[in-house]
């Protein structure tokens, strides 16, 4: 276990950040899953900008890689465009 006050604080900060990052990443995964499960084009088209914004925010904060965010957004846009 750490002995310095600064390292104890750093451990607390890391735990807090990890929990927050896991929450945001899990929430984004759930929203992506919900969008992929949607079969209504109008509903999916309405969800797409919100999901894209969420993915961009995760990429900006380095929770997910920017290329992963771009790939997900691209695949979701293709999916929404293919809906009848």
């Amino acid at each position: 276990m750490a002995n310095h006050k600064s390292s104890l604080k750093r451990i607390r900060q890391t735990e807090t950040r990890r929990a927050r990052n896991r929450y945001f990443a899990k929430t984004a995964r759930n929203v992506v899953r919900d969008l992929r499960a949607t079969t209504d084009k109008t509903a999916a088209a309405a969800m797409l900008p919100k999901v894209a914004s969420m993915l961009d925010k995760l990429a900006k904060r380095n929770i997910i890689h920017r290329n992963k965010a771009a790939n997900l957004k691209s695949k979701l846009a293709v999916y929404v465009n293919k809906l009848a």
Side-chain angles (χ1 to χ4, degrees), residues 12-57:
R12 288 195 310 269
Q13 288 176 331
T14 304
E15 299 250 345
T16 304
R17 285 193 188 116
R18 179 174 179 265
R20 187 178 305 127
N21 290 341
R22 283 173 56 93
Y23 168 76
F24 285 127
K26 183 66 172 177
T27 304
R29 280 199 304 270
N30 289 339
V31 173
V32 168
R33 186 186 65 214
D34 292 343
L35 178 58
R36 284 194 177 125
T38 305
T39 56
D40 182 31
K41 184 170 178 114
T42 56
M47 286 175 67
L48 185 62
K50 294 174 186 163
V51 174
S53 173
M54 189 180 288
L55 292 172
D56 285 335
K57 286 177 187 172

Side-chain angles (χ1 to χ4, degrees), residues 1-12:
M1 187 66 196
N3 293 320
H4 296 283
K5 285 178 81 171
S6 61
S7 56
L8 291 171
K9 180 179 177 181
R10 181 62 62 190
I11 290 169
R12 288 195 310 269

Side-chain angles (χ1 to χ4, degrees), residues 66-82:
R66 60 189 168 87
N67 290 352
K68 180 177 178 69
N71 287 336
L72 283 171
K73 289 185 341 188
S74 173
K75 288 176 183 174
L76 290 173
V78 167
Y79 172 75
V80 170
N81 288 333
K82 281 186 179 177

